[in-house]
Amino acid sequence: MAARVPAFDAPVSTGAPLARDIDVEVAIVGAGYSGLSAAYALQKRGVECAVLDANPVGWGASGRNGGVVSSKFRVSFPAIASAHGIDVAKRMHRLAHDGVRTVEALVDEFKLERAGFERSGSLRCAHTERAFASIRAEADWLRTSLNDTSMTVQSRAQVAHETGSAGFVGGVLSADAGTILPLEYVRGIAAGMTARGVPIYESTPVIDMSRAQDGRVHLRAPGGSVRAKQVIVATNAYSNLTDATASYHRELVPFRSAMIATAPLPSDLDAQLMVNRRSYTETRRMMKWFRKVDGRMLFGGRDAFGKEGEPTGFDALQRAMIALFPQLKDVAVDYRWSGYVGMTFNALPHVGRSDDATTFCLGYNGAGVAMASLIGQHAAALALGETPELALLAQNGLRPVPFHTLRAPGVRLVAAWYQFLDAVGA
Ligand SMILES: Cc1cc2nc3c(=O)[nH]c(=O)nc-3n(C[C@H](O)[C@H](O)[C@H](O)COP(=O)(O)OP(=O)(O)OC[C@H]3O[C@@H](n4cnc5c(N)ncnc54)[C@H](O)[C@@H]3O)c2cc1C
């Protein structure tokens, strides 16, 4: 039973590493949602491909996230409309909802009942009146400008009843969203691809990528090599695992994201908290999110202050949980884990080609369950020379974050500033 929460059951390698030299049409680096979705799209078109990962399937963010399936970007649709016009906002809105459709389609196609996908909606909880006014205005704008009726405003009392927390002044419920068990989802797609004959080589770090004289890309791993006409780099916030993919890391500002899971809740608390089993997020800049899995509370938040594996930040997360849910003060925390999310400067995912044989997709800004499932498939289309609708997500060539080496102190500064603004309710 414990295996249902991501870090309760850290992924172990089941696939063999690459141990010979192979030739494929498209090589995919990274076996998270992005890479496996790209493999899925290629296999559907009859294109021979292989997936290589330095680690077991789902070891990256795809196996350790909060399982919130959402239909939004970090940039709001009204902000997109005012900067780029209503037509672009409509295209971005379509992409955001396509992400949820993609999760549904993959769950159906591979019969991923174990992934427990529920389109139960996502409730965004406002921590101040000002934040509430802003998310209400956004919901109004979506209804009147984009004809999106999936948002409903909830009063303070409704949010308190739904969540069991008196810490919010109101909220907006998005119906086109839900929850999933992230590790089951990524493993399920991988098992489906393996059953269809797509090789997934685990424990296979790509340590070198170069162009051969015949124009093919040559990927070298410790046990063998791959020659491919095209490569898709789907390594996101873990791109710095080897030098071969490190240039993609410079597209991103990696932010550590941490999660805790309580012991199973006593039955009275279980009946009181998160009664509709949705995903819940809040409006603070250093956002927290929460949901229930198997009667345990999962609580997550951005924690920029420590490195992965360090205990820093988990106690702060537990304190934040208790501040919102004082009922949990005597409930033990059984599990703690963290991982990196890839933030981008424009707060949007990036997908494009870094040269005529290499496509990349990354930077989901902490909302990649649905988006990476979709964008991986668009990356596959790009690699085949197709022109999928990408609106503002399209990026031609790599554009490294300026002063990338200063990112760690930069992230700490920004995080501290955001925490200050949250604390003063600004
Ligand atoms: C703690 C946490 C909570 C999150 N919560 C949510 C949430 O609730 N909802 C949501 O939508 N999103 C969430 N996210 C974000 C989401 O998990 C990611 O956006 C998504 O999983 C990205 O998938 P990916 O396939 O692009 O990358 P990953 O899943 O990170 O996969 C990248 C893979 O590349 C491999 N790799 C890297 N370099 C190499 C190399 N050189 N050779 C071979 N392999 C390599 C790595 O081993 C890794 O397996 C969360 C992230 C974290 C860390």
Side-chain angles (χ1 to χ4, degrees):
M1 203 55 176
R4 288 161 59 85
V5 176
F8 292 4
D9 181 23
V12 280
S13 190
T14 47
L18 181 70
R20 61 195 173 93
D21 298 341
I22 58 167
D23 266 70
V24 287
E25 292 273 309
V26 183
I28 299 163
V29 190
Y33 306 138
S34 298
L36 293 170
S37 297
Y40 166 73
L42 292 168
Q43 189 272 335
K44 260 201 347 193
R45 289 165 170 82
V47 177
E48 193 194 12
C49 62
V51 185
L52 299 93
D53 201 298
N55 293 290
V57 164
W59 173 90
S62 298
R64 35 175 130 185
N65 64 70
V68 174
V69 178
S70 57
S71 50
K72 60 183 172 61
F73 297 102
R74 265 170 61 80
V75 186
S76 74
F77 295 109
I80 292 173
S82 70
H84 303 278
I86 190 75
D87 185 46
V88 173
K90 281 183 182 158
R91 289 155 60 203
M92 292 293 285
H93 182 259
R94 165 67 67 86
L95 281 167
H97 289 268
D98 281 355
V100 183
R101 299 289 80 71
T102 306
V103 174
E104 284 170 346
L106 288 168
V107 165
D108 274 0
E109 178 142 1
F110 293 113
K111 308 205 175 355
L112 306 181
E113 290 83 15
R114 283 172 62 98
F117 175 60
E118 287 189 87
R119 195 168 161 274
S120 46
S122 181
L123 181 60
R124 192 151 176 225
C125 307
H127 71 296
T128 59
E129 288 294 349
R130 192 168 152 177
F132 189 26
S134 154
I135 60 174
R136 272 196 325 252
E138 189 179 338
D140 277 352
W141 186 91
L142 280 166
R143 197 178 52 253
T144 51
S145 305
L146 299 189
N147 206 18
D148 177 348
T149 52
S150 65
M151 306 279 173
T152 358
V153 174
Q154 291 208 353
S155 66
R156 178 193 288 264
Q158 284 171 310
V159 173
H161 174 72
E162 267 244 0
T163 59
S165 170
F168 301 109
V169 302
V172 169
L173 173 66
S174 159
D176 197 18
T179 56
I180 200 161
L181 298 170
L183 186 57
E184 296 287 359
Y185 176 50
V186 70
R187 280 180 171 165
I189 305 171
M193 296 317 302
T194 306
R196 291 180 185 189
V198 174
I200 301 172
Y201 298 103
E202 297 178 300
S203 308
T204 302
V206 172
I207 49 180
D208 188 55
M209 277 199 282
S210 60
R211 274 316 258 286
Q213 280 193 336
D214 62 0
R216 287 187 160 237
V217 188
H218 193 189
L219 292 86
R220 196 159 56 80
S225 69
V226 183
R227 286 191 336 146
K229 284 191 189 148
Q230 292 286 323
V231 177
I232 297 173
V233 178
T235 49
N236 199 31
Y238 290 92
S239 300
N240 62 339
L241 286 186
T242 75
D243 286 349
T245 46
S247 55
Y248 297 90
H249 203 245
R250 290 193 281 275
E251 283 285 297
L252 299 169
V253 178
F255 229 85
R256 195 172 88 129
S257 208
M259 300 206 58
I260 53 179
T262 65
L265 301 175
S267 52
D268 57 328
L269 277 185
D270 191 24
Q272 201 186 96
L273 302 185
M274 289 163 282
V275 284
N276 292 324
R277 296 198 319 276
R278 310 186 202 279
S279 58
Y280 301 86
T281 61
E282 48 142 40
T283 47
R284 285 182 176 82
R285 288 173 186 80
M286 292 297 278
M287 184 187 81
K288 306 286 184 287
W289 62 89
F290 40 96
R291 61 179 290 205
K292 258 190 330 194
V293 174
D294 294 341
R296 296 172 190 268
M297 165 80 137
L298 253 65
F299 195 87
R302 305 259 153 78
D303 159 41
F305 297 103
K307 288 201 173 116
E308 201 171 346
E310 284 178 3
T312 346
F314 289 118
D315 292 345
L317 203 52
Q318 189 173 359
R319 283 195 300 276
M321 178 178 78
I322 292 168
L324 285 174
F325 298 95
Q327 313 90 309
L328 294 176
K329 80 175 168 14
D330 296 323
V331 177
V333 167
D334 277 358
Y335 299 95
R336 306 158 163 224
W337 68 96
S338 69
Y340 285 106
V341 299
M343 311 297 274
T344 57
F345 258 25
N346 67 356
L348 292 172
H350 295 174
V351 51
R353 306 193 66 136
S354 46
D355 62 44
D356 62 351
T358 316
T359 305
F360 62 91
C361 52
L362 40 73
Y364 305 102
N365 289 274
V369 176
M371 205 31 66
S373 305
L374 173 73
I375 293 303
Q377 300 192 28
H378 286 333
L382 273 182
L384 298 179
E386 298 170 17
T387 49
E389 167 64 90
L390 295 168
L392 297 176
L393 311 188
Q395 184 174 303
N396 223 341
L398 289 175
R399 261 178 267 145
V401 170
F403 307 110
H404 192 258
T405 45
L406 297 178
R407 70 192 184 284
V411 164
R412 277 197 288 275
L413 267 177
V414 171
W417 175 238
Y418 280 180
Q419 278 179 344
F420 170 72
L421 291 176
D422 285 339
V424 298

